[in-house]
């Protein structure tokens, strides 16, 4: 790696960190290049050496977050246990992530909302489609469900693909909702975040587990 490549990579990392902070603080609204560069203490010229646009930086942040969440799960999933226990552990890890790193869950929510019906460029669309296709987090859940069906700890009549998709989508939707409005929901409805996540887990496990 040349000196210039090293500087560029370090600047890129600093911009990713600064971009995450600024975008979360300002809820993705009216965040411009000036705010990001100021937070990272990097010039606009240097920014454009790292990213072609704000959108490209945002996609890079999303990619980084998904990689970090995947690593978080991989380090904590015990692959030697039963399928039912794997599914339970998977759900528990999302709750732990919500508690410990809620900004990452919020960013995913902002990203999904901001790019809900369009992609800024074909290149970013293709890059993100590849990331979604890999979906290691979904594959972890699928492996747990498939193992549970096989080892008898989960219902034998479950459709592994459909169940994986349902649990994955409903779980991430709940995590995003609680990351954004968890404390407000507690005030308005008197139900604690911890009780909501516990109830959700029980509902899912009661549905998928073998009798």
């Amino acid at each position: 790696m040349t000196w210039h490549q090293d500087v560029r990579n370090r600047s890129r990392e600093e911009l990713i960190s600064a971009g995450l902070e600024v975008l979360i603080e300002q809820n993705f609204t009216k965040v411009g290049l000036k705010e990001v560069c100021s937070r990272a203490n990097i010039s606009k010229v240097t920014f454009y050496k790292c990213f072609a646009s704000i959108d490209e930086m945002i996609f890079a942040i999303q990619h980084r977050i998904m990689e970090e969440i995947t690593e978080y799960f991989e380090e904590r999933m015990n692959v030697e246990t039963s399928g039912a226990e794997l599914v339970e552990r998977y759900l528990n890890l999302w709750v732990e992530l919500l508690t410990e790193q809620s900004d990452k869950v919020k960013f995913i929510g902002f990203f999904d909302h901001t790019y809900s019906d369009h992609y800024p460029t074909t290149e970013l669309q293709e890059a993100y489609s590849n990331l979604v296709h890999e979906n290691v987090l979904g594959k972890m859940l699928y492996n747990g469900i498939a193992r549970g069906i096989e080892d008898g700890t989960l219902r034998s009549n479950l459709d592994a693909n459909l169940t994986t998709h349902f649990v994955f989508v409903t779980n991430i939707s709940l995590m995003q909702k609680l990351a954004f409005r968890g404390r407000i929901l507690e005030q308005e409805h008197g139900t604690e975040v911890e009780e909501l996540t516990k109830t959700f887990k029980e509902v899912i496990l009661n549905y998928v587990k073998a009798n």
Side-chain angles (χ1 to χ4, degrees):
M1 181 181 296
T2 68
W3 179 82
H4 290 289
Q5 288 173 324
D6 181 55
V7 170
R8 180 180 179 277
N9 288 341
R10 283 190 281 113
S11 296
R12 182 182 174 89
E13 294 301 313
E14 290 167 0
L15 285 165
I16 285 175
S17 297
L20 173 60
E21 291 176 0
V22 174
L23 287 161
I24 289 296
E25 288 173 7
Q26 300 189 26
N27 297 338
F28 262 56
T29 59
K30 299 180 181 178
V31 174
L33 185 58
K34 179 180 179 181
E35 290 83 0
V36 175
C37 290
S38 177
R39 180 67 60 91
N41 195 27
I42 286 175
S43 69
K44 290 185 179 180
V45 172
T46 301
F47 177 93
Y48 283 114
K49 290 180 180 178
C50 299
F51 300 106
S53 64
I54 284 282
D55 287 311
E56 186 175 302
M57 181 195 69
I58 291 173
F59 274 69
I61 297 171
Q62 173 79 350
H63 193 282
R64 174 63 55 79
I65 286 175
M66 296 308 297
E67 285 183 337
E68 291 176 351
I69 292 176
T70 298
E71 290 175 4
Y72 183 91
F73 274 66
E74 288 178 333
E75 291 171 357
R76 292 162 176 79
M77 290 286 281
N78 179 6
V79 297
E80 301 302 324
T81 190
S82 71
E85 289 170 337
L86 275 174
V87 174
E88 182 170 5
R89 181 59 178 152
Y90 183 91
L91 296 174
N92 285 336
L93 284 173
W94 272 108
V95 176
E96 291 176 19
L97 188 74
L98 174 67
T99 303
E100 300 170 6
Q101 304 179 49
S102 63
D103 278 355
K104 290 181 179 178
V105 181
K106 286 181 180 178
F107 190 92
I108 296 171
F110 280 130
F111 182 92
D112 288 345
H113 176 73
T114 302
Y115 303 105
S116 61
D117 59 358
H118 76 286
Y119 289 98
T121 66
T122 302
E123 291 77 15
L124 289 177
Q125 179 178 359
E126 291 176 354
Y128 191 66
S129 294
N130 290 334
L131 176 64
V132 171
H133 179 71
E134 292 174 4
N135 192 13
V136 178
L137 288 170
K139 290 177 181 176
M140 287 184 196
L141 177 59
Y142 174 85
N143 290 339
I145 291 172
R147 178 180 297 183
I149 295 171
E150 183 178 350
D151 66 24
T153 56
L154 299 183
R155 288 168 40 205
S156 61
N157 62 341
L158 287 176
D159 181 313
N161 284 314
L162 177 60
T163 304
T164 298
H165 186 66
F166 171 77
V167 174
F168 185 85
V169 170
T170 53
N171 176 71
I172 192 66
S173 299
L174 176 63
M175 294 302 111
Q176 289 177 3
K177 180 75 170 182
L178 296 179
F180 284 113
R181 294 183 55 81
R183 299 308 166 192
I184 296 296
L185 292 175
E186 288 183 347
Q187 296 172 10
E188 292 178 345
H189 303 285
T191 305
E192 295 184 357
V193 167
E194 291 76 10
E195 289 301 314
L196 287 171
T197 56
K198 179 181 177 182
T199 300
F200 175 77
K201 184 182 75 173
E202 289 176 350
V203 168
I204 295 298
L205 292 176
N206 285 337
Y207 174 74
V208 300
K209 279 187 174 180
N211 295 326

